[in-house]
Every structure is written in C-alpha cells, then in structure tokens.
Amino acid sequence: MNAPLPDVPEVRVVGLPQLTTGFDLVHRLDLAMHLKVHGALEPIVGERLAELADAISLNGRGGAGFPFAKKLRAVAKSAIRRGVRPVVVVNGSEGEPACRKDTVLLCRAPHLILDGALLAAEALGARTLAIAVTRDSTEASMREALAERGLSDRRGRGLRARVVRTPERMVSGEASSVIRAINGGPSLPSGRKVRASDTGVAGAPTLLSNAETYAQLAVAARLGAHRYGNTGLMDEPGTVMLTVSGSVARPTVLEVPVGVPLRYVLELCGAPPMPQAVLTGGYHGDWIDGMTASGAIVSRKALSTAGGALGAGAILPIGPETCPLGESLRIANWLAAETAGQCGPCKLGLPAAAAGLSEVLGGGGPTALEAVRQVTQAVRGRGACKHPDGSVRFLQSTLKVFTDDLAAHVLGGGCGRPTQGVLPLPNPGYQEEGVPSGEKLAVDWTLCEGHGLCAGLVPELIRMGPDGYPAFADAAVPMHLRGNAQRAVRRCPELALRLEPTPAERPQPSRKALPRGGRS
C-alpha cells in the first residue's frame, strides 16, 4: 500500500517561480531571507486591494474558487454596517491526504502568507488575525514566523495574531469548522447557512481564505496587476500550486503557470505515459480518462470543461496495473469514516454508498450498481456541510468514467487486476480523539445466522444484504459510533460479531526516482 504523503514533499517549478522564489536557496525563508528575496511590501488601502484582486482574477485556492475581491468587499460592507472590527483568518487546515501545497507554503514561505493576510487586515482595519493549521510542522513554522515579526495574542497590541490547531480531518478545513475551532468549539461544520462575512470569529465579520490565496495576493501586490498577468492565461493569470501523487515516481508539489499542459505536469512527476485516468481536484473532485487528460491544460475553466476540477490542486493519475474501482472503494471507505456524524446524508448515506460499491466489486451485479446510484443521488444536496456532496461527486464520477471496469465487475466477475493502493491515505490511527477509532467491525461467518440486530444498532456501518445476511462497510468505526458498535457486539445472539484493530497498510515497494533537474 502507498505510504501517506510526507508533510513537505519535493518542490519543483515550471517556468519562473513566484510563490516558490528562494526555495532553491534555503529550506525555509525566515523574515530576513524573505525580505532579501521578495523585498519590502507597502500597504494597499481599502478598495485598491479589492481592485487588485479583481484585476488578477484572484479566486480562492482552497477548492471552492470564490472570488477574493467579492469576499473582501462583503466583509468591509458588513463591518461598516455593524460598526465593528472584522477578523482575518488564514485557513491552513489541509486535512485531505492528497494535498500538501498549503503545507509547503506554510512551512517554507510563511512570511509570504503573512504578507497577504496583513495586507487584508490593514485594508479592512482588522485587529485580529488567526491562522488555522493541522500539523506539527505547520504550527511550528507559523508560530516562529509570528515571533519573527513580533506578533502575538497579547492585549494592547495594534494587531493580535495567533495560531489555532485543528484536527487533520477532511471536514476540518470547512469554513464553519475553522471558525468554530477559533471560537473554542469543536472543529466541525456548524450546519447553519451563515456567511462568515456577516458572522464569523467572535460574531464579527470574518475574511477567511486559504494559505495560497494570501500568498498569491502578496506576490501580486509586489508585481502589480500587469506584471502578474504576464504569467498564465488572460482570464486566469499567474501560477497555481499543485500536489501530484498517485501513480508517480514520488509525490511532488509543483508551481506551474496556469495553462500548462496537464500531460507535461504528469510527465515531469514520472506518471505512466498513458494513465487509465487522472483524479483532479482531490477526493472531492472528478476523474477524467487518460485520453482526455492528455489534451487538457491546468486551469479552473479548462479542467471543468474536460469534466474535471482544479479544486485544491490535487492531481492523482493511476496506471494500468491497478483496479480503478478498488482504488475508488478505498477512498470511499475513508470518506465515509470522515463523517462529522451530524446529519443523515453524511452519517448514513456515505457508509451505505461505500458498502454498495463494495457489493458491486464483490459480484453484486446490476442490482448492487443501481443501489449505489440511488444512494448517491439521495445524498446530494442534503448535507449539513459540503462533505457529503463532495464525496458523492467523487463516487458518481467513478461510476461515470470507469464504465468498462464496471461492466467487467458487474457482468464478468471482475477486471482481474489487484488494488495496489496507489492513492494516498493516512496511516490508521492518525486522527485525534473524536474521529475514527482505529477499530473496525468483523464477523465470523461460521456463526452468523442473519438475525440483523447489528444492522439496527449501527445502520451507518452495517445493512442487511439481499441474501438476508449483514453487509459491512470496510471502514474504521468513527468514535461517535464506537458505543453503538460495542453494543452490537455484546447483543449479537450468536457471538459472531467483534471489534478488531484496523490493519496497518503494507509499505509500498520503492519506485524509480524522478529524473534529475528542476528546483529543489
């Protein structure tokens, strides 16, 4: 099985670097080196900063792609209307296993991110800055960067700044999760449709954007809109940070001009010459087939037209040696275990969808395939946050792109290829208390009589199959369901059910290194 991505993978650049300038000189740009490499930065007042963001078509780089200027103006308008100081938040909560580009920036170019955040704070008149992170490495780097600038959370200062740690989970990066964590609550989606620009941290209007977005703003403020636009496309200027993993020589974070051919990016990272398909936008994104990928370019609009998504910049090709449906099932099980447990579509629907896909691969036939389609359709648009929608988007894309493989599994007994685990997932037990427990449900089929009591106690993980016996989701038991799982074990009249530790993933054989060249 593939190992989890390292915190800070190798970094390479296509063309001239902007965000990664100086990475070839030092591993981490402290304040002194940052100023030598990038130079000083002058404040930009109010509306002029929004005009700059408009001029460079700066959209959020965390996945949703919301226009930064629109968000900036909404926060300013709300703050003026209410007569309160707004808050600026850097969202560095990168909880997706396939993403590391924000972690790279937080660890290696922390002052570029702070430049953009402080520009926004100055333009808005904010006096509070919060930086949300998920890892030891990013927390240490940002705390050091704040200390280098003499910023802290002590009262009496012009700007109070602090670092907030959030769990390394898929749902931790959702805007309301970040705000709840900063407010001292659980790092879980609120489930309420309240805009952060109206009510966010401590009830104040809040400008929340991801780490790369602020870094891009800082680069544009130094270059100006015209010079910034010399790189990239006319309607999507500048560069973009990508995390490329999957069937590649080794995981790589790249800075590339918008508009570079996706084929070139994959070749640079050692992907197969013709992958089966490429997952774009990460585990809430879309698959595109290998032929389509060979003609696509890296831009938000172009990837969407090709049926993919730029999202948070995760690109994951898979080669011909692995079963794509088996790879997708691993991700579907992980997504089901990442549920916040706060709404039915997430708590019940995602495990049911994952279990249904498992039935398809196990020979469940057309009935099982139709059941998966019905579950994913029922979940869409009904969740308390975007996790259910993103997860079923991934599943529906899997069913749409891998039609030949589906036919082989549904009608012909399988595709004959093993699941090699090339899509990265965290090691079991990586999460903090309150999420997956590191245990899974298992059954002794020699004892099971199909009474169905377990399915009634833990419907999120067990449902009755068409043969009258329980079907299990191959996923870790979330902590919020562990009590129900234990009751199901105790109440099984045949003593057939048990909880056992999730197996550690086997190490993947070493792969051929990338060819020499590029930036370190």
Side-chain angles (χ1 to χ4, degrees), residues 442-489:
V443 65
D444 183 341
W445 293 111
T446 65
L447 298 176
C448 180
E449 294 292 337
H451 294 291
L453 293 179
C454 55
L457 287 167
V458 202
E460 301 89 345
L461 300 174
I462 308 172
R463 61 193 182 92
M464 298 305 291
D467 59 355
Y469 283 84
F472 290 76
D474 186 20
V477 176
M479 284 298 294
H480 72 275
L481 295 177
R482 192 167 183 269
N484 285 352
Q486 289 172 329
R487 280 192 288 276
V489 169

Side-chain angles (χ1 to χ4, degrees), residues 56-125:
I56 65 170
S57 301
L58 180 60
N59 293 329
R61 302 300 178 92
F66 193 83
F68 184 82
K70 187 174 181 179
K71 190 180 294 186
L72 190 69
R73 290 187 177 109
V75 172
K77 182 178 179 181
S78 181
I80 292 170
R81 184 181 70 250
R82 294 177 53 191
V84 297
R85 295 272 190 184
V87 176
V88 173
V89 173
V90 176
N91 187 0
S93 296
E94 199 168 44
E96 182 169 348
C99 291
R100 286 295 186 273
K101 51 101 173 176
D102 283 338
T103 298
V104 163
L105 291 174
L106 290 161
C107 288
R108 300 194 63 180
H111 290 285
L112 200 60
I113 297 166
L114 285 178
D115 278 348
L118 293 173
L119 274 176
E122 182 72 18
L124 290 169

Side-chain angles (χ1 to χ4, degrees), residues 64-414:
F66 193 83
F68 184 82
K70 187 174 181 179
K71 190 180 294 186
L72 190 69
R73 290 187 177 109
V75 172
K77 182 178 179 181
S78 181
I80 292 170
R81 184 181 70 250
R82 294 177 53 191
V84 297
R85 295 272 190 184
V87 176
V88 173
V89 173
V90 176
N91 187 0
S93 296
E94 199 168 44
E96 182 169 348
C99 291
R100 286 295 186 273
K101 51 101 173 176
D102 283 338
T103 298
V104 163
L105 291 174
L106 290 161
C107 288
R108 300 194 63 180
H111 290 285
L112 200 60
I113 297 166
L114 285 178
D115 278 348
L118 293 173
L119 274 176
E122 182 72 18
L124 290 169
R127 293 294 178 264
T128 302
L129 168 65
I131 305 154
V133 297
T134 54
R135 299 184 175 91
D136 292 340
S137 57
T138 51
E139 181 179 7
S141 178
M142 294 312 296
R143 288 192 186 280
E144 185 177 350
L146 291 180
E148 288 169 348
R149 291 186 182 235
L151 294 172
S152 73
D153 198 27
R154 292 201 299 267
R155 293 183 179 275
R157 292 179 173 269
L159 178 76
R160 300 179 64 184
R162 60 191 171 115
V163 177
V164 177
R165 184 69 176 266
T166 62
E168 191 177 340
R169 294 196 63 201
M170 193 73 167
V171 296
S172 296
E174 201 265 346
S176 66
S177 295
V178 172
I179 289 171
R180 289 182 78 185
I182 294 171
N183 285 335
S187 187
L188 295 172
S190 66
R192 296 182 297 119
K193 306 296 184 183
V194 178
R195 293 183 298 180
S197 59
D198 291 328
T199 303
V201 175
T206 299
L207 176 70
L208 185 147
S209 203
N210 96 306
E212 185 193 341
T213 310
Y214 286 112
Q216 293 282 2
L217 184 67
V219 168
R222 286 182 168 89
L223 295 179
H226 179 72
R227 286 179 60 200
Y228 184 92
N230 287 338
T231 301
L233 303 175
M234 183 78 71
D235 57 344
E236 292 184 48
T239 64
V240 64
M241 297 287 285
L242 304 175
T243 309
V244 184
S245 61
S247 295
V248 296
R250 61 176 177 262
T252 308
V253 169
L254 296 97
E255 182 182 13
V256 303
V258 179
V260 71
L262 179 59
R263 179 183 66 256
Y264 180 71
V265 169
L266 297 176
E267 289 175 357
L268 188 63
C269 295
M274 180 55 71
Q276 287 190 75
V278 179
L279 180 57
T280 59
Y283 297 158
H284 279 177
D286 295 294
W287 291 100
I288 55 177
D289 64 77
M291 287 297 296
T292 302
S294 68
I297 65 172
V298 177
S299 84
R300 191 173 299 277
K301 182 178 179 181
L303 285 175
S304 177
T305 300
L310 180 59
I315 305 292
L316 301 103
I318 57 169
E321 74 286 348
T322 189
C323 172
L325 296 179
E327 295 288 345
S328 297
L329 177 59
R330 292 176 63 246
I331 305 308
N333 284 327
W334 181 80
L335 289 169
E338 285 291 284
T339 172
Q342 297 185 134
C343 67
C346 194
K347 186 178 175 181
L348 300 173
L350 297 187
L357 184 58
S358 180
E359 283 186 31
V360 171
L361 269 68
T367 302
L369 178 58
E370 182 59 29
V372 174
R373 290 189 168 125
Q374 289 178 0
V375 170
T376 55
Q377 189 62 38
V379 168
R380 182 177 288 276
R382 297 176 56 237
C385 69
K386 295 299 182 183
H387 180 58
D389 280 0
S391 300
V392 299
R393 174 179 178 171
F394 166 79
L395 281 164
Q396 289 176 333
S397 175
T398 298
L399 300 181
K400 178 180 178 182
V401 170
F402 300 114
T403 52
D404 290 345
D405 298 273
L406 274 173
H409 281 276
V410 170
L411 303 175

